C-alpha cells in the first residue's frame, strides 16, 4: 500500500470514528465505504473455487468469530458466513466480499460493538490500525474519554490489537498458495502485487507496527503530573525500564493516587499500586501506554519483560524471513 493509499484509508476510518464520537447512539458501521475487498487475478483464479480459496474463506470466517468471541462478541449464526466469493463472467478476477445479510447484522449491534467489528476486520485484512483508533477515541474530551463505555471500548480495541499476527494468518496462508505470476490486490490498495511483493509488505507492516499488551503490575510511580487541566500522566518504573502513560481512570481514583504519591514523597519513599496498564510495544520498547484501571491483573495480562522479549523476537524473525525472501 502506498503512503497515499494508507492516508486515504486512515482518513476514512477516522471519519467513521468521528461519526461514532459525535452521535454514538445512532452510529452505523458502513464497511462498504472502506472497500475492504481482496481481488485475486491469475491463471489459478480462472473461474473456479479451488481448495486454497475455499480454505481461505473458512479460515477467515473462523478467525473473525474467534477474535470477536475473545472480547465477548458473538456474531449471529449464518449459513452464508461472513465472506463470500464473486466471480464476474468473462473475467479472470475473483472478488471476495461480504456474504449476504452480514452487513445488516453488523448494524443491529450496539455502536461500540460495531467499532470492535471494524477493528477486527481491519486486522484480518492486514491493516493494523488499533493504535490509531485508540488515539482517536481518546481525543473527544477527557471526561468523555473516561466514561465507562469509552474506557471499556479502548480496552477491547487494545485486546484485539494484541493478536495482529494471528489475525493476518488467513491472508498469509492464501498468499503462500499463490503461483509466481499470480496477483493479489489487498484491501486499501489499488495496485496488484505478486507473491514476493505482498509477503514483504505484510512482514514490513507487522514489524513496523506496535502490539498492544496488558502488562498489569504494581509499578513504582516515579511521577504523577498534569500539563493541562484534567489530563494526567504517570511515569512508571520496573527495574531498569521506565515509561510514561496516560491516565484513563476516574478523577476520584486519580485524587486518591495523588494523595498517596505526595505522602510517600514527603517520607522519602515510593508507592507501587496495583495498576492495570495497556502498553503499545515493539522491538524498540514501550511506544505508548495508558492506565486503564486499578486492581488485580486482568485476564491475558503478561509480564512486561515477556512482552518486550516477544516483540524483540518477532522483529528478529521478520528480519530473517525478509532476508530469506531476498535471497
Amino acid at each position: 500500500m502506498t503512503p497515499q493509499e494508507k492516508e486515504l484509508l486512515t482518513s476514512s476510518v477516522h471519519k467513521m470514528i468521528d461519526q461514532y464520537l459525535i452521535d454514538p447512539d445512532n452510529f452505523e458501521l458502513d464497511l462498504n465505504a472502506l472497500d475492504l475487498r481482496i481481488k485475486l487475478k491469475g491463471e489459478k483464479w480462472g473461474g473456479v473455487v479451488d481448495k486454497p480459496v475455499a480454505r481461505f474463506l473458512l479460515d477467515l470466517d473462523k478467525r473473525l468469530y474467534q477474535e470477536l468471541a475473545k472480547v465477548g462478541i458473538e456474531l449471529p449464526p449464518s449459513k452464508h458466513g461472513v465472506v463470500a466469493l464473486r466471480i464476474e463472467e468473462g473475467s479472470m478476477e475473483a472478488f471476495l466480499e461480504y456474504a449476504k445479510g452480514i452487513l445488516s447484522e453488523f448494524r443491529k449491534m450496539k455502536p461500540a460493538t460495531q467499532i470492535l467489528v471494524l477493528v477486527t476486520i481491519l486486522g484480518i485484512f492486514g491493516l493494523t490500525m488499533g493504535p490509531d483508533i485508540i488515539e482517536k477515541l481518546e481525543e473527544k474530551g477527557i471526561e468523555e474519554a473516561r466514561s465507562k463505555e469509552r474506557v471499556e471500548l479502548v480496552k477491547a480495541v487494545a485486546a484485539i490489537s494484541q493478536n495482529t499476527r494471528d489475525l493476518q494468518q488467513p491472508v498469509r496462508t492464501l498468499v503462500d498458495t499463490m503461483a509466481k505470476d499470480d496477483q493479489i490486490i489487498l484491501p486499501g490498495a489499488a495496485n496488484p502485487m505478486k507473491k514476493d511483493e505482498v509477503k514483504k509488505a505484510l512482514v514490513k507492516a507487522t514489524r513496523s507496527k506496535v502490539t498492544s499488551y496488558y502488562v498489569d503490575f504494581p509499578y513504582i510511580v516515579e511521577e504523577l503530573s498534569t500539563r493541562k487541566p484534567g489530563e494526567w500522566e504517570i511515569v512508571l518504573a520496573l527495574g531498569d525500564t521506565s515509561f510514561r502513560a496516560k491516565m484513563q481512570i476516574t478523577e476520584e481514583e486519580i485524587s486518591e493516587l495523588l494523595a498517596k504519591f505526595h505522602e510517600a514523597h514527603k517520607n522519602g519513599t515510593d508507592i507501587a499500586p496495583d495498576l492495570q496498564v495497556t502498553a503499545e510495544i515493539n522491538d524498540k520498547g514501550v511506544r505508548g501506554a495508558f492506565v486503564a484501571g486499578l486492581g488485580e491483573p486482568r485476564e491475558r495480562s503478561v509480564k512486561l519483560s515477556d512482552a518486550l522479549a516477544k516483540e524483540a523476537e518477532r522483529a528478529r524473525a521478520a528480519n530473517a524471513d525478509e532476508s530469506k525472501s531476498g535471497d
Side-chain angles (χ1 to χ4, degrees):
M1 185 185 302
T2 66
Q4 292 81 6
E5 291 166 346
K6 172 67 175 177
E7 183 179 351
L8 181 61
L9 178 63
T10 301
S11 176
S12 298
V13 172
H14 282 183
K15 286 180 181 178
M16 286 191 176
I17 302 301
D18 282 336
Q19 291 172 359
Y20 167 77
L21 294 173
I22 292 170
D23 190 5
D25 293 333
N26 296 303
F27 173 77
E28 287 190 352
L29 178 63
D30 185 8
L31 285 172
N32 279 331
L34 297 178
D35 193 30
L36 296 178
R37 298 182 299 172
I38 289 179
K39 299 179 183 179
L40 307 169
K41 188 174 183 179
E43 219 172 293
K44 211 169 182 187
W45 321 114
V48 296
V49 180
D50 61 3
K51 287 184 179 179
V53 176
R55 178 184 174 187
F56 171 66
L57 294 173
L58 294 173
D59 286 351
L60 204 61
D61 275 4
K62 183 179 179 181
R63 181 64 62 183
L64 183 58
Y65 277 84
Q66 286 178 338
E67 295 305 321
L68 289 174
K70 289 178 182 178
V71 292
I73 299 172
E74 292 188 12
L75 289 180
S78 169
K79 62 181 180 181
H80 297 290
V82 178
V83 182
L85 185 70
R86 175 168 60 85
I87 302 174
E88 292 189 344
E89 186 176 355
S91 172
M92 292 291 287
E93 292 191 357
F95 298 85
L96 291 166
E97 55 187 32
Y98 301 105
K100 181 180 179 181
I102 195 65
L103 295 182
S104 61
E105 290 297 329
F106 287 158
R107 296 190 192 101
K108 293 177 184 177
M109 298 176 177
K110 293 180 179 179
T113 302
Q114 294 182 49
I115 296 295
L116 297 180
V117 170
L118 170 64
V119 174
T120 305
I121 289 178
L122 287 169
I124 280 177
F125 285 148
L127 303 165
T128 52
M129 297 185 65
D132 293 322
I133 291 174
I134 288 175
E135 183 177 353
K136 194 70 178 173
L137 289 170
E138 293 176 343
E139 286 181 2
K140 184 73 174 180
I142 194 69
E143 288 304 321
E144 288 190 44
R146 289 204 189 111
S147 68
K148 182 177 179 180
E149 182 180 275
R150 188 72 53 78
V151 169
E152 291 302 318
L153 178 56
V154 168
K155 290 180 184 178
V157 171
I160 293 171
S161 299
Q162 289 184 44
N163 302 315
T164 300
R165 187 82 181 183
D166 291 340
L167 285 170
Q168 292 182 0
Q169 193 55 51
V171 173
R172 292 177 182 276
T173 301
L174 177 65
V175 170
D176 284 339
T177 69
M178 292 172 62
K180 182 179 179 181
D181 292 327
D182 288 341
Q183 294 179 320
I184 185 170
I185 301 179
L186 294 174
N191 298 316
M193 292 185 289
K194 292 184 179 181
K195 182 175 183 176
D196 289 346
E197 294 173 318
V198 72
K199 288 184 74 172
K200 287 181 180 179
L202 288 173
V203 167
K204 182 178 180 181
T206 302
R207 187 175 68 250
S208 62
K209 286 289 184 179
V210 297
T211 303
S212 292
Y213 290 91
Y214 291 166
V215 287
D216 306 342
F217 196 79
Y219 295 92
I220 292 175
V221 177
E222 291 188 335
E223 181 184 331
L224 186 56
S225 60
T226 179
R227 298 179 183 178
K228 298 179 182 179
E231 295 186 13
W232 288 88
E233 290 188 346
I234 192 170
V235 176
L236 304 176
L238 178 60
D240 295 330
T241 302
S242 65
F243 58 92
R244 186 176 296 273
K246 295 181 180 179
M247 302 290 283
Q248 289 291 316
I249 57 179
T250 65
E251 292 291 348
E252 291 78 11
E253 289 172 323
I254 290 176
S255 296
E256 181 180 345
L257 200 61
L258 187 62
K260 292 179 179 179
F261 177 73
H262 284 159
E263 183 64 27
H265 185 70
K266 290 179 183 178
N267 297 329
T269 58
D270 296 314
I271 61 168
D274 291 323
L275 299 176
Q276 296 175 344
V277 180
T278 300
E280 307 291 343
I281 297 173
N282 64 12
D283 58 307
K284 305 299 181 183
V286 178
R287 314 310 294 173
F290 63 89
V291 176
L294 307 177
E296 295 295 318
R298 294 164 292 181
E299 186 179 354
R300 299 195 303 277
S301 178
V302 300
K303 294 180 179 178
L304 177 61
S305 58
D306 290 345
L308 292 168
K310 182 176 181 179
E311 290 306 306
E313 177 57 33
R314 192 199 303 274
R316 284 193 291 270
N319 283 324
D321 289 343
E322 188 170 355
S323 296
K324 288 179 182 179
S325 66
D327 291 340

